[in-house]
Amino acid sequence: MGCSSSLPDRSSGRLGGVNGSENNGVPDAKNLRVKLVLLGDSGVGKSCIVLRFVRGQFDPTSKVTIGASFLSQTIALQDSTTVKFEIWDTAGQERYAALAPLYYRGAAVAVIVYDITSPDSFNKAQYWVKELQKHGSPDIVMALVGNKADLHENREVSVQDGIDYAEKNGMFFIETSAKTADNINQLFEEIAKRLPRPSTTSAT
Amino acid sequence: MENADVFLGLHDFLERMRQPSASDFVKSIKSFIVSFSNNAPDPERDSAMVQEFLANMEAAFRAHPLWAGCSEEELESAGEGLEKYVMTKLFTRVFASLPDDVKVDDQLSQKMSLIQQFIRPENLDIKPTFQNESSWLLAQKELQKINMYKAPRDKLVCILNCCKVINNLLLNASIASNDSPPGADEFLPVLIYVTIKANPPQLHSNLLYIQRYRRQSRLVSEAAYFFTNILSAESFISNIDAKSLSMEETEFERNMEFARALLSGFSTDSDGLPYHSDQSAGSFAKAEPLESRHKALSSKKESDLSNRSDISEARSTSKDTLYAKEEPEIGKVQSLEDIENKGATMLLKEEDFSKGVFREYPYLYAQVGDLTINDVEELLNNYKQLVFKYVCLSKGLGGATPSLPLSNSQTDLPCDTESVNEEHQGTEAVNKEHQGTEPADSKSQKHTDVMDDSNIVSHVSKENVESKPHKDELVAPH
């Protein structure tokens, strides 16, 4: 199994190796640094989505990062601003659910992932949405992601269910396939567009 | 992120502080340390004071001619040097200074020492593909070093190194098995398992200390993520109950009871069984050749199983037996041989154990004809790993001259004079052994090569710095 397949796909918006040159530079209005937390049942492919997203610079033998549970990636937007995502993965097993607040505290974005072949994982996703509405930061940007969209013959959660739930909760919704890389970049680009921007005057 | 070169930080920082133009800095640092020590401990206020002082000083460095034309890295390094200097001075005043924290440390450590007796990777959802207990010892060792350092960064590095080892092992396992790449679903459970097995000293106090006194602007990004993971490991461990380990309430309680009995030294053989290798049977059991011991074990299998069903009864029996004996034996800890026996008994009880535990030892069932010359290297590595682990175990138990398994000299291991309290010293002895002796060192080198851990931050230069406190005192230039 595994979620890697085919060749790395480098989209035009990707800034390869930008990490090396930034030196913890002070983030400003044009260069946002954003904490993004991934929530969802174990096995829905959270880490696969991230790996797919950063694949342009991810090399399994690389010693730059400690591991794949934390990764960062910078994307450039049309308006010549950049967003550096610092992506915090969380353990999705039930027994670790109570630890999640330690991870989503201070996160600007929460990406809640389920597997379109698993209604259980969809229920779990709804649980996370409710929890974040109750305890997350009030202006957190939430995205609902139905992953494994390539497995449509095993689909058990309809697209409409995802859309409806997301709409009702004011979230961005997308179906992705980490395996085929479908919609992975779109997911992060959409999130980047929805981030509240600090006004240029208040930036230091 | 955490680079080894920062270590030159303290050195470089002290050098600059010797410059005449740094005299104002020296004065303010010294007066800060003195004024700080005059107040009663108050973690919130203390932490805020230190953070503010470090921030102000860093800003002042930036504006000072001493650092004119310096790179960001050099300024960063000066900040690291300052943090390390100040915190080394304030350490005794702020580390584990509240009785409540000390209490939590003790409770947590107690809990880990009990749970480590029976927890299995499955209890935490660690998939078989990613189980690798022998290599996790390396990650445990990194955590256990945490009290060798005083500076918040150095302590943090111990945690990060532990995480790095775990991640490398997970990555290798996923590549080898063609499984999904490891994410937090795989990482956190292993970190929790490793933490429980390592039972690092004063875990709670160490984490609070890092949280409060590591300069906040540097506890960000990847370091913050992995620090959060160890915080959540601590939280998980302190709340462990039957449910969080997917155990029946009764099974969990039985295991805890059993571990308590084991640790209190009441039970001389860990299973609470009547098989007393060196107390009731005395030197007889020890002198027995290994094979016959194994036979004895297998023949005991049935009775062991039946005894298991009512462990409390078995335990009380063994308690009674003990009370009947002479005093000195009560505080006795198990010998290595006892532990081997216990393990063997447990192994025999496990169904299809050949598929489980021995998975990691691919050559166990190999015939000579199966081997090729290419296997030699791996076999040798395996052998060295085994020897190293065995020596560590023996050392940990307080054995003076550990010897290889299967040699008769193992019966020489002194085991009558130890007490439970010495266990901790044993661990330290292992650490020292690991650094000090040549074979252990070259062995660790081997691990490093195998596991791509070469980027583990070395503490060596730092230790050198710490060992020369007098030379590195801040001296106001005249």
Side-chain angles (χ1 to χ4, degrees):
Chain A
M1 40 177 299
C3 53
S4 55
S5 68
S6 65
L7 289 164
D9 100 311
R10 289 166 189 271
S11 81
S12 50
R14 202 70 61 73
L15 296 179
V18 73
N19 279 348
S21 59
E22 60 188 7
N23 282 332
N24 294 330
V26 185
D28 51 40
K30 295 220 112 201
N31 303 290
L32 290 181
R33 195 156 97 179
V34 167
K35 173 175 168 182
L36 181 154
V37 66
L38 280 172
L39 294 162
D41 223 344
S42 66
V44 298
K46 295 187 293 293
S47 53
C48 291
I49 291 175
V50 186
L51 279 176
R52 201 27 122 162
F53 174 51
V54 301
R55 184 151 314 261
Q57 65 179 41
F58 181 79
D59 165 9
T61 60
S62 153
K63 286 170 188 160
V64 178
T65 52
I66 292 183
S69 46
F70 175 91
L71 287 169
S72 62
Q73 173 70 302
T74 305
I75 62 172
L77 298 178
Q78 307 267 308
D79 59 356
S80 78
T81 58
T82 66
V83 176
K84 181 184 182 189
F85 287 109
E86 293 184 346
I87 304 169
W88 291 42
D89 195 6
T90 60
Q93 296 95 332
E94 185 60 41
R95 71 180 87 243
Y96 304 118
L99 304 171
L102 289 168
Y103 294 82
Y104 63 67
R105 191 172 51 200
V109 183
V111 173
I112 297 153
V113 187
Y114 67 91
D115 170 354
I116 63 153
T117 69
S118 157
D120 281 352
S121 74
F122 188 55
N123 289 335
K124 195 63 197 277
Q126 298 178 21
Y127 162 86
W128 286 122
V129 172
K130 287 188 199 104
E131 158 128 3
L132 284 167
Q133 284 167 344
K134 256 186 273 166
H135 305 293
S137 119
D139 50 0
I140 193 166
V141 174
M142 288 200 277
L144 182 66
V145 176
N147 193 33
K148 306 199 184 175
D150 52 293
L151 301 175
H152 33 77
E153 66 276 21
N154 298 324
R155 176 189 288 278
E156 302 234 359
V157 181
S158 74
V159 185
Q160 200 55 47
D161 284 354
I163 293 174
D164 290 349
Y165 187 79
E167 208 159 83
K168 221 167 49 198
N169 291 279
M171 306 167 73
F172 166 63
F173 173 75
I174 196 167
E175 284 197 351
T176 57
S177 166
K179 191 163 185 173
T180 65
D182 260 6
N183 277 347
I184 299 291
N185 289 337
Q186 287 83 338
L187 165 65
F188 289 91
E189 280 158 18
E190 270 310 314
I191 291 169
K193 283 185 209 154
R194 280 153 202 265
L195 287 170
R197 295 283 165 152
S199 61
T200 20
T201 45
S202 72
T204 48
Chain B
M1 36 161 314
E2 304 288 335
N3 290 315
D5 356 332
V6 178
F7 265 112
L8 304 168
L10 183 58
H11 230 81
D12 178 62
F13 166 73
L14 293 167
E15 276 309 311
R16 285 186 207 266
M17 288 298 112
R18 289 194 182 95
Q19 304 291 317
S21 60
S23 61
D24 283 348
F25 287 142
V26 174
K27 268 183 220 146
S28 34
I29 294 168
K30 293 206 153 188
S31 83
F32 175 74
I33 291 169
V34 170
S35 71
F36 196 92
S37 311
N38 290 337
N39 299 320
D42 173 350
E44 294 307 311
R45 191 202 55 206
D46 292 352
S47 161
M49 272 177 73
V50 169
Q51 294 287 349
E52 194 193 345
F53 177 74
L54 294 177
N56 291 341
M57 288 298 284
E58 278 178 38
F61 287 172
R62 195 173 282 274
H64 196 273
L66 259 180
W67 278 275
C70 279
S71 66
E72 278 301 313
E73 282 79 17
E74 282 168 293
L75 278 161
E76 186 64 23
S77 162
E80 289 283 5
L82 173 70
E83 176 185 312
K84 184 172 171 129
Y85 182 82
V86 170
M87 290 320 296
T88 306
K89 292 290 176 190
L90 297 180
F91 182 77
T92 43
R93 159 75 170 64
V94 297
F95 183 81
S97 54
L98 296 182
D100 281 354
D101 292 343
V102 175
K103 208 169 124 192
V104 176
D105 279 333
D106 290 346
Q107 285 166 348
L108 195 62
S109 171
Q110 169 88 18
K111 189 154 190 185
M112 288 190 282
S113 67
L114 294 174
I115 289 165
Q116 67 179 207
Q117 305 293 327
F118 60 85
I119 193 165
R120 309 265 317 126
E122 298 79 44
N123 297 130
L124 297 172
D125 295 316
I126 302 172
K127 285 190 272 179
T129 325
F130 292 107
Q131 293 179 15
N132 192 347
E133 302 223 31
S134 51
S135 299
W136 290 340
L137 288 174
L138 295 167
Q140 292 168 30
K141 240 163 37 63
E142 295 299 327
L143 265 193
Q144 282 161 345
K145 289 179 190 164
I146 201 163
N147 268 9
M148 290 165 65
Y149 307 99
K150 287 182 177 171
R153 176 186 183 274
D154 299 350
K155 288 176 177 290
L156 180 63
V157 165
C158 294
I159 294 167
L160 297 180
N161 282 344
C162 167
C163 295
K164 217 175 271 188
V165 172
I166 293 172
N167 271 310
N168 284 329
L169 291 168
L170 289 174
L171 201 57
N172 289 347
S174 80
I175 291 166
S177 68
N178 217 4
D179 208 323
S180 312
D185 289 347
E186 285 73 36
F187 174 77
L188 180 65
V190 176
L191 179 65
I192 292 173
Y193 190 85
V194 161
T195 305
I196 292 171
K197 288 288 182 174
N199 194 353
Q202 297 173 285
L203 181 61
H204 178 70
S205 291
N206 273 305
L207 297 185
L208 283 179
Y209 176 75
I210 294 169
Q211 203 162 31
R212 287 169 183 157
Y213 300 107
R214 173 67 175 153
R215 177 91 171 85
Q216 260 142 31
S217 63
R218 290 190 280 266
L219 189 52
V220 291
S221 196
E222 192 168 41
Y225 177 74
F226 287 105
F227 185 68
T228 300
N229 273 282
I230 190 105
L231 283 179
S232 74
E234 186 208 3
S235 163
F236 182 85
I237 294 166
S238 60
N239 292 311
I240 276 185
D241 56 15
K243 189 168 163 260
S244 62
L245 297 180
S246 305
M247 281 182 179
E248 291 296 322
E249 199 70 51
T250 47
E251 187 193 3
F252 180 76
E253 282 310 321
R254 197 153 27 103
N255 281 327
M256 288 293 272
E257 265 305 296
F258 177 55
R260 266 179 220 117
L262 182 68
L263 290 183
S264 65
F266 280 139
S267 173
T268 49
D269 79 45
S270 47
D271 260 342
L273 302 173
Y275 183 69
H276 293 251
S277 62
D278 47 9
Q279 286 205 327
S280 51
S283 56
F284 161 70
K286 281 196 273 180
E288 245 181 326
L290 196 74
E291 269 167 57
S292 68
R293 270 203 291 135
H294 275 260
K295 250 182 252 160
L297 279 172
S298 348
S299 69
K300 287 244 174 265
K301 194 177 161 192
E302 268 76 0
S303 64
D304 290 353
L305 281 171
S306 60
N307 270 352
R308 235 250 149 107
S309 64
D310 193 346
I311 270 184
S312 60
E313 190 189 295
R315 211 184 49 245
S316 66
T317 323
S318 87
K319 250 188 229 175
D320 293 344
T321 332
L322 249 174
Y323 285 138
K325 293 185 201 169
E326 304 96 333
E327 278 271 305
E329 289 183 345
I330 289 180
K332 198 177 97 49
V333 87
Q334 296 175 297
S335 70
L336 190 61
E337 198 181 3
D338 291 330
I339 290 174
E340 277 182 66
N341 288 341
K342 177 198 168 197
T345 317
M346 285 160 65
L347 263 185
L348 289 169
K349 277 182 214 159
E350 273 172 35
E351 285 169 45
D352 60 19
F353 64 85
S354 55
K355 281 186 232 145
V357 201
F358 292 115
R359 181 195 299 274
E360 286 167 37
Y361 308 100
Y363 296 105
L364 193 66
Y365 300 106
Q367 306 288 317
V368 179
D370 301 339
L371 300 178
T372 70
I373 192 78
N374 295 327
D375 295 323
V376 170
E377 192 182 345
E378 201 180 336
L379 271 171
L380 186 62
N381 275 340
N382 282 348
Y383 169 80
K384 287 179 180 172
Q385 207 167 337
L386 278 173
V387 171
F388 178 65
K389 257 165 54 179
Y390 191 84
V391 171
C392 286
L393 279 170
S394 315
K395 206 68 186 171
L397 281 162
T401 45
S403 54
L404 295 183
L406 304 183
S407 87
N408 284 336
S409 58
Q410 68 178 306
T411 56
D412 297 333
L413 282 178
C415 51
D416 288 329
T417 52
E418 295 153 337
S419 73
V420 178
N421 294 343
E422 281 174 305
E423 206 171 355
H424 184 65
Q425 292 165 3
T427 321
E428 284 171 3
V430 173
N431 285 338
K432 281 187 203 124
E433 175 95 356
H434 187 62
Q435 292 169 342
T437 66
E438 220 275 303
D441 249 351
S442 57
K443 181 61 220 148
S444 81
Q445 193 54 52
K446 205 84 192 173
H447 278 299
T448 307
D449 293 341
V450 170
M451 302 196 327
D452 266 348
D453 280 339
S454 42
N455 56 337
I456 282 189
V457 177
S458 161
H459 283 102
V460 175
S461 50
K462 199 176 357 161
E463 282 161 54
N464 290 342
V465 172
E466 273 176 359
S467 64
K468 295 178 289 188
H470 299 299
K471 201 178 149 202
D472 290 329
E473 280 291 315
L474 273 185
V475 184
H478 306 291

